[in-house]
Amino acid sequence: MPQLADRLTALAADGQAITFPAIGLPPEAVTNEASAVAAGPFAPYLAEAVADAYNRSDAQWQSVATAFPQGLAAQPSVLHLSATMDALLHSPAAAKALGKSLTAALLSDLLASIEQAPLLAAARLEGAVRLAVADAVTPFKVWQAIEDVPSDGPEDFIERLPRLLGLTLDRWADEDTIADTARTLLQQLTHDEAADVDAMFELGCDLLRRALSSHDLGTITSHLVLARKQFETAAQAEEARDDARIYAAVCDAILAFGRHDAATITRAADELADALDQREAWLHRAHQSTWLRPRRSAEVAWQRLILQLRAAATTLQEDAWMDAWQALDTVLSAYSAARTVCPLTGDASQGLALLVQPAIEDSFLRQQAFLAQLRRAAQETVQHADRGFDAATASVLLQAVDAAQREPEGTPGSPNAAEGEEDDPGGSAMTRLARLAPTLLLLLGDKAVSIGSALDDQQLLILEGLAYDSDVSRLKATDPLIVPKLDKLMTALSEHPDFTGEVRRTFSALVEQTLLFLKSRSDLTRTSLFGTTKKGEPPAFDYRRKPEGKAARKPVEADLQRDFHQWLQAGPLHNVVLVEPVDVGMGRADVMTHFGSLRYLTEIKQDSADNDRLYLEGRYLAQAAEYSNANAPFGQLLVLDLTSKSETQGNMRVDEVAWTTTHRPKGSSTDRAVVVGIIAGNRETPSAYSRK
């Protein structure tokens, strides 16, 4: 065995970090053996050393690393090749520096290898696509390779192709040439038994993406209906495709909201819940490559959106509201989310807004009592500021409703437009069909216009239901720190047997907001967080900063409590937050979020002695867990870290200050799961460290 392979084996066996200095061989020896090792079973270990050299900007070893790609071209193992690419792509610097040579090695004689070693060829194409997606190389060679790929190759290659084409569409959907090629290949693969289900799912994702980024209502609804058909077909064809069930339910919920169908939204939300639970069970403890693993943060976004749509739809169906302010909060949350929630990474939510927001505006036009409450709320924002009322969204909604009221009768989009639709078959009549009967419009085309014009809204909805049932019976995927951290927390929480159903959906939404809070408080300056002060006034007190002078006020846990409570009040959970509720665990909790009968308590603490995980858990975990004894066994602990930062040479990263742990009191049989987060106090500005 070569010396280099021996050293890599020894380091891996000892659990040591694999770096070129740790290997301990001279550069000449490593250069001579690097190519051979890259072609063998130790390639992933050597890739770790290569990544480390670029992360540390070590010029001596970077020159040695250039011999690595040539050897990787001869790598015969799918597993070793995949693990090697994972290690290299974990270092953006290494991927960028070696991207061209790696791409050339991976795509060398690709067509020949498809026939000779189809699984290996798929892994090589996968590596090249990942390099291009990561912007390590320009994508043109990869695009050419995709265009040259046969759609009738060996089964082992073809069955891996749909996901690669889906990834291509995720990244380059706006590039017409490659996007059209990918869509054509996927259409062809829907007729291949080895890849048909996966191809249908990827086509559905592409249609959903195009719907949510479109500006035309007819295009939006037709794409959503077609996407739903692709998802339902995939779900029917393969029992394990719970992800297809999830997205089919999403399409149903969005379309149903546009036609004021609360019952269908509720049914879709229940289907979404069941599918998510089933999918979690299928994936429990199953190995998946990191880049193929479902992004749980995207699931949280869909869950939150559907929860908001379901609540808003139910509210808008009511004839009267016992708590009008809570009803307004619920509806405004859905109205705002339609433009701010983007469950598909990188896409604008224009299409979603064009379906959801007009449906809400129309409801206010039809329900004058609710409109009067909205008008009063928008005018009296000062009196109700302590409620956390979303005045900005209320004002936008009121302007849209007033504009609709001013439109003359027969104008497309106005509440009286139905009377003039027969004279305008290509305008308002088509818009009405697209909103109320998208399935009927897709099935019948222009013929649906004359049918729809002869029916009132209720009759048209009944006909749409029949068309939908007939269609179904015939058929029977931003933040580099928050996203992976949320994935890890969700994975850890999923180990708890009670983290299912409504608990999973609601607690996930709270954890996501908490992570975003931790990130924002790590970045925001005092002025951005607390606002500017008038000339001559002292700056606002910032509980995160190191006190300036002996007489300066010291931060306390109440500062963090107030800040976290206000953060939740300003976000999508603003209508479910309480501060210091009593009679909880025979005490008073700090911040509580409640979702119907479910409630989750966040305990707030401060500590100036230590910020070690074990220390904080030993000191505060039992109290934080105690509040969950009479409800779901999940809660949170936030600690204001007031330890000295003068000698630490910096602060912990956002992905290092949050984790999940459990506590089980003596004699108990149920674990209490607690998400812990640390807010750094006693902080100094970054420039202070360069002066030390």
Side-chain angles (χ1 to χ4, degrees):
M1 183 182 294
Q3 280 185 296
L4 180 55
D6 281 336
R7 292 298 302 145
L8 291 171
T9 303
L11 290 173
D14 293 338
Q16 298 183 40
I18 300 177
T19 65
F20 284 121
I23 291 172
L25 295 176
E28 297 78 12
V30 175
T31 302
N32 291 335
E33 299 182 15
S35 183
V37 171
F42 303 102
Y45 297 151
L46 184 55
E48 291 183 31
V50 171
D52 175 75
Y54 283 97
N55 288 340
R56 293 187 297 105
S57 300
D58 190 332
Q60 178 188 29
W61 291 109
Q62 287 178 8
S63 61
V64 173
T66 57
F68 185 81
Q70 182 180 359
L72 192 63
Q75 175 59 249
S77 168
V78 173
L79 294 178
H80 294 151
L81 179 60
S82 298
T84 299
M85 292 306 302
D86 285 343
L88 292 174
L89 284 163
H90 192 66
S91 168
K96 189 75 173 178
L98 301 176
K100 289 184 179 180
S101 54
L102 282 170
T103 301
L106 291 168
L107 297 181
S108 176
D109 294 325
L110 180 66
L111 292 179
S113 65
I114 290 176
E115 296 297 330
Q116 299 166 5
L119 279 176
L120 183 63
R124 290 171 61 182
L125 180 59
E126 173 186 304
V129 171
R130 292 177 64 188
L131 285 168
V133 167
D135 291 328
V137 293
T138 56
F140 303 112
K141 287 187 177 180
V142 175
W143 292 358
Q144 185 61 54
I146 292 174
E147 290 179 357
D148 294 338
V149 161
S151 61
D152 56 350
E155 180 175 322
D156 285 343
F157 178 82
I158 292 300
E159 67 181 5
R160 302 267 307 259
L161 194 53
R163 185 61 190 96
L164 294 179
L165 296 173
L167 181 62
T168 301
L169 288 172
D170 287 345
R171 179 63 178 82
W172 298 295
D174 295 330
E175 300 287 343
D176 292 340
T177 301
I178 186 61
D180 290 342
T181 297
R183 289 170 186 139
T184 300
L185 275 172
L186 285 171
Q187 289 287 359
Q188 294 172 355
L189 291 174
T190 58
H191 304 291
D192 191 310
E193 186 176 357
D196 54 357
V197 174
D198 292 339
M200 292 173 194
F201 179 80
E202 296 300 337
L203 284 171
C205 288
D206 181 55
L207 286 163
L208 180 57
R209 184 190 305 105
R210 292 158 69 185
L212 296 189
S213 59
S214 177
H215 296 258
D216 175 71
L217 184 60
T219 303
I220 294 166
T221 54
S222 64
H223 281 344
L224 280 173
V225 172
L226 288 171
R228 182 189 62 200
K229 292 174 68 173
Q230 295 287 358
F231 292 135
E232 288 173 343
T233 303
Q236 291 292 331
E238 186 172 317
E239 181 182 3
R241 290 311 298 250
D242 293 295
D243 50 356
R245 288 177 57 206
I246 289 170
Y247 282 100
V250 165
C251 293
D252 275 337
I254 296 173
L255 287 167
F257 195 91
R259 61 177 186 268
H260 307 284
D261 188 349
T264 299
I265 297 175
T266 299
R267 185 169 64 250
D270 293 339
E271 176 69 15
L272 179 66
D274 292 340
L276 284 169
D277 291 342
Q278 181 65 54
R279 182 157 165 257
E280 187 61 26
W282 276 109
L283 297 178
H284 185 61
R285 297 187 181 280
H287 171 73
Q288 286 186 307
S289 299
T290 303
W291 76 286
L292 290 175
R293 193 173 301 152
R295 289 178 54 178
R296 287 182 170 82
S297 56
E299 295 177 16
V300 171
W302 282 124
Q303 289 172 18
R304 185 175 69 243
L305 178 62
I306 300 307
L307 284 171
Q308 289 173 319
L309 292 182
R310 179 168 62 176
T314 302
T315 299
L316 292 172
Q317 295 291 316
E318 300 290 338
D319 294 325
W321 304 273
M322 299 301 293
D323 187 340
W325 283 102
Q326 183 177 354
L328 276 176
D329 279 348
T330 300
V331 175
L332 289 177
S333 293
Y335 192 89
S336 177
R339 197 169 294 278
T340 58
V341 175
C342 299
L344 289 177
T345 304
D347 284 320
S349 55
Q350 184 64 39
L352 188 62
L354 286 177
L355 270 175
V356 171
Q357 291 183 342
I360 294 176
E361 295 160 9
D362 182 62
S363 296
F364 275 89
L365 281 169
R366 297 173 185 274
Q367 302 190 42
Q368 293 300 308
F370 209 9
L371 177 59
Q373 184 65 36
L374 174 67
R375 199 176 303 280
R376 178 184 174 189
Q379 294 170 350
E380 300 177 359
T381 56
V382 176
Q383 295 92 317
H384 304 286
D386 59 336
R387 293 176 175 269
F389 181 71
D390 190 352
T393 299
S395 178
V396 172
L397 174 56
L398 186 59
Q399 291 175 17
V401 173
D402 287 342
Q405 284 186 314
R406 289 193 296 270
E407 291 176 352
E409 292 187 1
T411 300
S414 71
N416 300 315
E419 298 175 7
E421 284 175 354
E422 291 185 22
D423 298 325
D424 184 23
S428 56
M430 191 67 74
T431 299
R432 176 170 172 257
L433 279 171
R435 183 176 302 284
L436 299 181
T439 308
L440 183 68
L441 181 60
L442 183 67
L443 293 175
L444 300 183
D446 292 340
K447 296 179 181 178
V449 175
S450 58
I451 296 175
S453 300
L455 303 174
D456 61 27
D457 286 357
Q458 190 59 39
Q459 293 170 329
L460 188 58
L461 287 172
I462 294 174
L463 193 58
E464 165 65 7
L466 294 174
Y468 171 78
D469 290 341
S470 174
D471 200 40
V472 171
S473 63
R474 188 176 68 252
L475 292 173
K476 298 199 183 191
T478 51
D479 186 292
L481 288 180
I482 297 300
V483 168
K485 188 62 186 181
L486 185 60
D487 287 348
K488 291 180 180 179
L489 293 181
M490 293 300 102
T491 300
L493 289 169
S494 298
E495 298 293 329
H496 198 293
D498 291 343
F499 193 63
T500 58
E502 198 73 8
V503 171
R504 180 184 181 86
R505 286 182 289 281
T506 52
F507 191 61
S508 295
L510 173 60
V511 172
E512 180 191 37
Q513 290 303 307
T514 301
L515 274 182
L516 292 173
F517 172 77
L518 294 176
K519 180 182 179 181
S520 71
R521 273 31 182 185
S522 176
D523 280 341
L524 292 180
T525 63
R526 173 161 49 194
T527 300
S528 298
L529 184 56
F530 299 105
T532 57
T533 55
K534 295 182 180 179
K535 187 176 181 180
E537 292 183 351
F541 174 73
D542 188 346
Y543 69 93
R544 304 167 303 165
R545 295 172 66 96
K546 181 179 179 180
E548 302 171 355
K550 295 183 179 179
R553 179 193 153 187
K554 302 295 190 295
V556 295
E557 61 189 45
D559 296 316
L560 174 56
Q561 177 191 24
R562 187 181 306 109
D563 190 23
F564 183 58
H565 177 248
Q566 290 174 352
W567 166 270
L568 293 179
Q569 284 281 22
L573 304 182
H574 64 89
N575 57 337
V576 297
V577 184
L578 296 175
V579 63
E580 292 195 347
V582 296
D583 295 332
V584 181
M586 296 181 63
R588 180 178 62 186
D590 289 330
V591 178
M592 181 174 76
T593 51
H594 59 91
F595 301 83
S597 60
L598 289 173
R599 68 186 188 195
Y600 308 108
L601 281 299
T602 301
E603 178 64 16
I604 311 291
K605 291 295 182 183
Q606 68 170 30
D607 201 292
S608 58
D610 200 342
N611 60 9
D612 177 73
R613 290 190 177 190
L614 293 179
Y615 167 83
L616 295 177
E617 291 180 13
R619 191 172 178 87
Y620 305 116
L621 180 59
Q623 179 183 351
E626 189 70 10
Y627 293 119
S628 63
N629 282 347
N631 210 278
F634 298 91
Q636 295 193 133
L637 169 65
L638 291 184
V639 180
L640 178 58
D641 168 24
L642 297 179
T643 58
S644 174
K645 306 301 187 298
S646 300
E647 306 300 329
T648 59
Q649 292 299 303
N651 293 278
M652 291 185 287
R653 285 165 49 91
V654 174
D655 54 354
E656 297 171 334
V657 297
W659 67 95
T660 299
T661 186
T662 59
H663 173 72
R664 180 182 295 189
K666 184 178 180 179
S668 178
S669 59
T670 302
D671 286 331
R672 282 73 160 164
V674 178
V675 174
V676 185
I678 299 176
I679 296 290
N682 262 336
R683 289 184 63 179
E684 301 187 21
T685 58
S687 60
Y689 293 104
S690 64
R691 296 195 298 265
K692 293 185 180 298

